[in-house]
Amino acid sequence: MRDFTICIGTTFVFGRDAETKVGDELGAKGVSRVLIHHDGGAYLETSGLLDAVRRSLGRAGISYTELGGVKPNPRLTLVREGIAIAKARNVDAVVAIGGGSVIDSAKAIALGAAGERDVWDYFTGKVPVDRTLPVAVVLTCPASGSESSQVAVINNEHEHSKLTLSEPVLRPAFAFMNPELSVTVPAFPTACGIVDMFSHICERYFSADNEIGVIDRMAEGALRTLVDVGPKSLADLADYDLRAQIMWISTIAQNNTLGVGREQDWSTHLIANELSALYDTPHGATLSIIMGSWMRVASEKAPFRFARYATEVFDIRPGSMNETELARRGIAATESFFRSLGMPVSFKDFDLPGDGIERMLDNIDFYGPDATIGSIARLDRDDCRRIYELALTGPVMGKEF
């Protein structure tokens, strides 16, 4: 295990009625003015959630301004609007009500409101990140794990550029997590969320560090749990206990609990994010489309960990299979799992065109002297082109290899 430093400074309030405690927690920290940020969905009013948060803030004497309109793949334009409002109203915290897109947008607003430069300059690396306003999250759709991660992803819709910023100060100060709030989330976004958290764990699990230890076994346990509870939760969207399992896994999948002490990969996200930037494809769908094809290419270079993954996550017994054959079975099982959630595993499944591959490759930030990405397998432009091409039609149904 490599040396590491981690501080997860998020206060978690988990369970029924968690959203009613927002005002008490923020008031105790001296917050007096907030911007409430959300997607503007009708469910916020019909469910009573928005009123519950308003009342909680009111009881604590905290004034608020609201900004809705967040879309999947959160837009830079709305972030800039939120920053202007936050500065004009002199708010001292941002309250995000929603899922990953709302939370990431809120993080970017809090960052821009605390600084003097245009917020996009932080994402492009022109200026360092040193401070932000506190962010409190009322989580409604577990997926990205943004409620306690140091990551924010924003889509510059004018440049068709989707960039990730990762800084410790971006971790939210509070996460209010009531699984009841997620039971009204429909099947498709629920499935997208499950794929997202599954991928977050895999990005850490598939490492060039081949030592097998406690972090690996924790990751395998979380992945096995998702494989078990994912289809069950889609069969019964209102099951509180299943939703609770998924909600907590979304958190630990991305706050680095399952990634300390190792070199991480992240090539699946780098490749998949270009589908969102170019086609505005939902994030979870881009990951399910790309992951199997990425696994096929990466496992050719490093079969060991993929073989273990097949055994420990999908309970595929080795028998007489070698590592390569076992890895292929695990990849096929992964795509079968995604299909069981109703998720696409190819461009074709989601009716995406295949004419943007070179443009997407141009936008991937290949780095280092060998101009590659990844950890378990270093992938160059040709490798990534092959991944996109494999993903155009996906695996042949009924064939595992």
Side-chain angles (χ1 to χ4, degrees):
M1 183 177 287
R2 300 185 181 201
D3 297 345
F4 65 89
T5 300
I6 186 171
C7 176
I8 301 172
T10 306
T11 297
F12 298 98
V13 180
F14 192 101
R16 292 178 171 87
D17 299 323
E19 67 278 10
T20 66
K21 303 171 184 176
V22 175
D24 290 341
E25 294 290 343
L26 290 179
K29 295 296 184 181
V31 172
S32 60
R33 296 174 301 277
V34 304
L35 174 66
I36 300 176
H37 197 39
H38 52 72
D39 62 11
Y43 75 94
L44 292 167
E45 295 286 1
T46 58
S47 68
L49 172 58
L50 192 52
D51 276 342
V53 175
R54 291 166 178 158
R55 288 194 301 270
S56 179
L57 293 170
R59 286 194 300 269
I62 299 172
S63 64
Y64 57 85
T65 303
E66 295 182 27
L67 176 64
V70 180
K71 301 183 186 316
N73 301 315
R75 310 305 202 261
L76 178 61
T77 300
L78 188 67
V79 167
R80 286 173 171 154
E81 181 181 344
I83 291 168
I85 294 171
K87 287 186 173 183
R89 300 298 177 90
N90 196 29
V91 307
D92 43 22
V94 180
V95 176
I97 306 176
S101 293
V102 174
I103 301 167
D104 283 4
S105 187
K107 287 179 177 179
I109 289 171
L111 176 63
E116 300 302 323
R117 294 289 294 266
D118 180 72
V119 69
W120 194 241
D121 289 344
Y122 297 108
F123 282 82
T124 57
K126 290 181 181 178
V127 289
V129 175
D130 56 3
R131 60 196 175 97
T132 183
L133 299 181
V135 174
V137 175
V138 179
L139 185 63
T140 63
C141 183
S144 70
S146 191
E147 62 273 5
S148 69
S149 81
Q150 66 179 43
V151 175
V153 183
I154 296 296
N155 189 15
N156 185 329
E157 64 270 41
H158 300 298
E159 298 179 6
H160 296 288
S161 177
K162 185 176 182 180
L163 294 183
T164 299
L165 183 62
S166 180
E167 294 288 344
V169 298
L170 294 180
R171 291 190 191 271
F174 296 94
F176 299 91
M177 304 173 66
N178 177 1
E180 288 180 323
L181 300 181
S182 68
V183 300
T184 57
V185 178
F188 180 68
T190 297
C192 282
I194 293 168
V195 171
D196 198 8
M197 58 192 84
F198 192 93
S199 178
H200 287 160
I201 300 170
C202 286
E203 297 282 21
R204 296 166 165 88
Y205 180 76
F206 288 108
S207 169
D209 299 328
N210 270 335
E211 170 195 20
I212 300 297
V214 61
I215 300 300
D216 301 276
R217 291 183 171 90
M218 288 168 64
E220 290 162 356
L223 290 171
R224 287 178 70 102
T225 303
L226 280 176
V227 170
D228 176 36
V229 305
K232 292 178 181 177
S233 68
L234 293 179
D236 186 357
L237 292 170
D239 188 296
Y240 177 90
D241 291 329
L242 294 174
R243 290 286 190 172
Q245 293 288 325
I246 290 171
M247 184 169 275
W248 190 244
I249 291 175
S250 78
T251 296
I252 63 172
Q254 182 65 338
N255 67 12
N256 227 27
T257 299
L258 304 180
V260 294
R262 63 186 50 241
E263 180 182 85
Q264 299 178 14
D265 195 272
W266 294 102
S267 51
T268 299
H269 270 71
L270 290 174
I271 297 167
N273 278 349
E274 297 308 321
L275 292 175
S276 292
L278 187 57
Y279 302 121
D280 201 22
T281 311
H283 180 59
T286 69
L287 295 170
S288 63
I289 287 168
I290 292 298
M291 187 180 291
S293 296
W294 169 79
M295 285 182 165
R296 287 183 174 83
V297 173
S299 65
E300 292 173 356
K301 300 173 181 282
F304 162 71
R305 195 168 272 270
F306 289 91
R308 179 180 173 88
Y309 164 84
T311 299
E312 299 302 325
V313 176
F314 290 101
D315 202 27
I316 299 170
R317 296 299 98 193
S320 60
M321 287 184 285
N322 59 30
E323 283 185 345
T324 299
E325 293 168 332
L326 192 55
R328 288 173 176 170
R329 288 284 301 277
I331 296 166
T334 302
E335 289 175 324
S336 293
F337 169 57
F338 291 161
R339 284 198 182 100
S340 76
L341 302 175
M343 295 297 292
V345 296
S346 71
F347 283 52
K348 183 179 179 181
D349 286 348
F350 214 67
D351 294 326
L352 295 179
D355 58 359
I357 289 177
E358 294 305 319
R359 184 175 178 181
M360 290 189 289
L361 290 169
D362 288 342
N363 288 331
I364 294 175
D365 186 18
F366 296 101
Y367 58 91
D370 55 353
T372 57
I373 59 173
S375 170
I376 193 168
R378 298 297 296 174
L379 305 174
D380 60 20
R381 184 183 178 105
D382 288 338
D383 292 321
C384 292
R385 180 185 294 106
R386 185 174 167 222
I387 290 168
Y388 281 133
E389 289 172 346
L390 286 172
L392 286 175
T393 56
V396 177
M397 292 294 290
K399 292 188 177 181
E400 291 179 335
F401 303 151

